[in-house]
Amino acid sequence: MQLRLTDLLLFLNLTDTSLPRSGTTYCILTTRSTKRLPDGSVIVVLGASGDLAKKKTYPALFGLFKYGLMPKNVKIVGYARTKMDLEDYRKRISSYIKTPDEKVKAQLADFLKVTTYVSGQYDEDEGFQALTKHMEELEGDVPERFRLFYMALPPNVFTPVAQRLKKNCYPAKGIARVIIEKPFGHDLASSRELQSSLEPIWTEDELFRIDHYLGKEMVKNILILRFGNSFLGSGWDKSRIASVQITFKERFGTEGRGGYFDKFGIIRDVMQNHLLQVLTMIAMERPLSFDAEDIRDEKVRVLKAMRVISPKDVILGQYDKSEDGTKPSYLDDDTVPKDSRCPTFAAIVTHIQNERWEGVPFILKAGKALDDGKVEVRIQFKDVTSGIFNNIPRNELVIRIQPNESVYLKVNTKLPGLSMKTSVTELDLTYRERYTDLVIPEAYEALILDAINGDHSNFVRDDELDASWSIFTPLLHHIDQNKDFVPSKYPYGSRGPAELDDFLKANGYTRAQNEGYQWPQTNLNGNL
Ligand code: BG6
């Protein structure tokens, strides 16, 4: 089916202003069978007084409200242990919401009018009974009730809250959905334990496990890029691809979060979930349709084909003071034990044992307190047949997930002029250049909208979680138990541990390929 984007947006009642500079027609993806929460639904944020709710959940709820994407007459109820009056609650939940102009200020005022608060414990029925009473007052006397529960909670209360919600707040008729956030356990056994405590209470259909990377625009774009472009699809395998590298870099350390981070480390914090999700999108086979279960079936299949990661395929790092001494080391964080071996950097190579990918290294690299802040996928193609060229660099396709969303392909061209010298340049799709009035939704906005719409495509299924923990658990246990496995120190603000380049080279990627070339990325103001 083909129609213009503007028609499609009208049809979906969306207000998307990110239109390409030139006129184009668009294809709707194979229809998803979903059930949208109707007008008058209630959204409950559990943990409403916490940091996640304040920084991510409420700003995203407001974003959807502002764009007119919420069910009409939606009611938003906060629930937490803290006793607060309505005014304090509204002040708190709006503290991270930006109001650049009068229009948005008025929208925020309207949003706050539909938000209310109930305080109660997480492990006693009483609070949940009060919550139900409050929801019923908001809903009125209706034959069916529609409720979305967002658990912005620490993992130790996931199960007691899930149980009490089911017992006290589950509608006799209607729909109830629960969104939960990582950490989903800390290894395979604990993840299964959590799973088996949730599953008898909430069905897989009612559960939405958030990995917020699945809500990022460029991550969602991967399937379209791969399967919507035959030229890319045809070389997407071991015959043309030499290596795949997925990189996550942050410029800041654990500042203030050390206590939490030390229990997890960088592998559990971002690799087993966010980076592995990106990897599955890069490596999975074409799904039968864009239906959630078809997509997730293929993701699970590729995870099951991955080799369990062995300690010899890993380097670990922990950041030290910056070279000029102005930035602290990880161990300087008061909330971190002084002898902590927690990795703040890891590089891992893994392989997928199927016909498409046999022999292709997939390198996952993640670190805090590094020289750059970015997340990208770098697909390095094989060398061209030697003979007419001497050391011509490899092509690379780079998908820049953040910041400055873009896709660029490094290609060799003749240097313009009278010589036959070659140079590396790029076919560059930088979003802020290509689209006018670019609006890229926040990952949480996209995912909460999916949950409202009942679309599971961008949420983690139970067997997917199981398969991802299976790949990482032996390594994580080895690191936890083996006191000799000590991360190498790297200075705050550097590229990571000194052995990184040799590790990448040994695993099929050489930085030398890049010598003399720099992607002329637009800066954040959009200027070259
Ligand atoms: C979180 C991790 O899941 O993802 C953080 O716990 C990390 O440590 C964050 O900083 C990165 O998310 P984003 O969206 O800023 O890339």
Side-chain angles (χ1 to χ4, degrees), residues 106-274:
Q107 287 168 324
L108 177 60
D110 290 342
F111 173 74
L112 292 177
K113 279 184 209 148
V114 305
T115 61
T116 47
Y117 181 71
V118 174
S119 83
Q121 299 302 312
Y122 294 133
D123 52 358
E124 291 167 11
D125 287 331
E126 214 183 324
F128 293 90
Q129 286 156 3
L131 175 62
T132 297
K133 190 161 169 277
H134 181 72
M135 287 190 291
E136 284 171 358
E137 279 162 17
L138 296 171
E139 291 161 337
D141 189 14
V142 284
E144 290 184 291
R145 301 175 192 274
F146 300 90
R147 297 169 179 171
L148 175 63
F149 301 102
Y150 190 117
M151 303 221 283
L153 292 168
N156 60 325
V157 294
F158 282 174
T159 306
V161 169
Q163 284 165 343
R164 278 165 189 82
L165 282 176
K166 183 66 189 271
K167 184 171 166 204
N168 301 292
C169 310
Y170 195 83
K173 248 183 135 196
I175 295 180
R177 293 181 182 146
V178 177
I179 300 179
I180 61 170
E181 284 262 357
K182 83 170 178 62
F184 308 122
H186 52 89
D187 61 6
L188 182 60
S190 52
S191 156
R192 283 188 176 159
E193 202 182 306
L194 172 66
Q195 207 34 50
S196 58
S197 70
L198 291 177
E199 241 160 25
I201 330 174
W202 293 89
T203 64
E204 190 58 28
D205 201 45
E206 291 169 328
L207 279 176
F208 290 75
R209 292 180 202 83
I210 282 200
D211 181 313
H212 78 282
Y213 266 57
L214 290 176
K216 292 194 186 262
E217 184 69 18
M218 296 308 279
V219 176
K220 298 207 287 188
N221 195 10
I222 294 173
L223 294 192
I224 316 287
L225 280 174
R226 286 190 55 198
F227 300 115
N229 295 295
S230 59
F231 85 96
L232 270 183
S234 60
W236 205 262
D237 58 29
K238 63 185 179 197
S239 72
R240 289 282 165 263
I241 291 178
S243 70
V244 176
Q245 204 181 140
I246 303 170
T247 303
F248 169 102
K249 285 179 143 194
E250 277 181 347
R251 284 185 194 275
F252 46 88
T254 54
E255 285 97 328
R257 274 180 85 221
Y260 157 84
F261 188 85
D262 204 71
K263 294 190 193 74
F264 290 87
I266 196 76
I267 300 176
R268 290 184 174 96
D269 191 41
V270 299
M271 276 189 165
Q272 173 272 339
N273 35 58
H274 306 332

Side-chain angles (χ1 to χ4, degrees), residues 158-392:
F158 282 174
T159 306
V161 169
Q163 284 165 343
R164 278 165 189 82
L165 282 176
K166 183 66 189 271
K167 184 171 166 204
N168 301 292
C169 310
Y170 195 83
K173 248 183 135 196
I175 295 180
R177 293 181 182 146
V178 177
I179 300 179
I180 61 170
E181 284 262 357
K182 83 170 178 62
F184 308 122
H186 52 89
D187 61 6
L188 182 60
S190 52
S191 156
R192 283 188 176 159
E193 202 182 306
L194 172 66
Q195 207 34 50
S196 58
S197 70
L198 291 177
E199 241 160 25
I201 330 174
W202 293 89
T203 64
E204 190 58 28
D205 201 45
E206 291 169 328
L207 279 176
F208 290 75
R209 292 180 202 83
I210 282 200
D211 181 313
H212 78 282
Y213 266 57
L214 290 176
K216 292 194 186 262
E217 184 69 18
M218 296 308 279
V219 176
K220 298 207 287 188
N221 195 10
I222 294 173
L223 294 192
I224 316 287
L225 280 174
R226 286 190 55 198
F227 300 115
N229 295 295
S230 59
F231 85 96
L232 270 183
S234 60
W236 205 262
D237 58 29
K238 63 185 179 197
S239 72
R240 289 282 165 263
I241 291 178
S243 70
V244 176
Q245 204 181 140
I246 303 170
T247 303
F248 169 102
K249 285 179 143 194
E250 277 181 347
R251 284 185 194 275
F252 46 88
T254 54
E255 285 97 328
R257 274 180 85 221
Y260 157 84
F261 188 85
D262 204 71
K263 294 190 193 74
F264 290 87
I266 196 76
I267 300 176
R268 290 184 174 96
D269 191 41
V270 299
M271 276 189 165
Q272 173 272 339
N273 35 58
H274 306 332
L275 298 199
L276 193 61
Q277 284 293 342
V278 175
L279 185 152
T280 57
M281 303 296 245
I282 294 288
M284 66 188 256
E285 297 299 316
R286 182 188 164 106
L288 289 176
S289 74
F290 272 89
D291 215 65
E293 299 321 319
D294 287 338
I295 293 176
R296 300 195 298 179
D297 284 349
E298 291 307 333
K299 286 170 73 183
V300 172
R301 215 188 300 270
V302 80
L303 288 172
K304 286 188 172 164
M306 279 176 74
R307 216 157 65 187
V308 167
I309 297 159
S310 143
K312 70 175 173 30
D313 292 331
V314 178
I315 57 172
L316 299 180
Q318 187 186 78
Y319 67 85
D320 209 344
K321 277 192 192 318
S322 59
E323 269 163 359
D324 63 6
T326 57
K327 295 281 186 186
S329 74
Y330 176 68
L331 298 182
D332 287 337
D333 188 329
D334 287 341
T335 56
V336 165
K338 289 296 160 236
D339 57 350
S340 170
R341 289 185 297 114
C342 175
T344 59
F345 177 99
I348 286 178
V349 62
T350 176
H351 285 87
I352 300 170
Q353 291 169 310
N354 64 15
E355 213 180 346
R356 183 185 286 273
W357 294 116
E358 195 173 39
V360 180
F362 281 76
I363 300 164
L364 303 180
K365 217 170 71 189
K368 298 209 171 250
L370 294 176
D371 60 334
D372 203 355
K374 67 174 180 184
V375 181
E376 67 178 27
V377 182
R378 189 168 290 263
I379 302 192
Q380 196 168 74
F381 289 85
K382 291 198 163 165
D383 291 325
V384 292
T385 317
S386 61
I388 58 172
F389 298 111
N390 191 7
N391 279 338
I392 195 159

Side-chain angles (χ1 to χ4, degrees), residues 3-5 20-26 434:
L3 80 173
R4 291 196 49 90
L5 178 62
R21 291 185 193 282
S22 55
T24 324
T25 54
Y26 296 82
R434 183 68 178 88

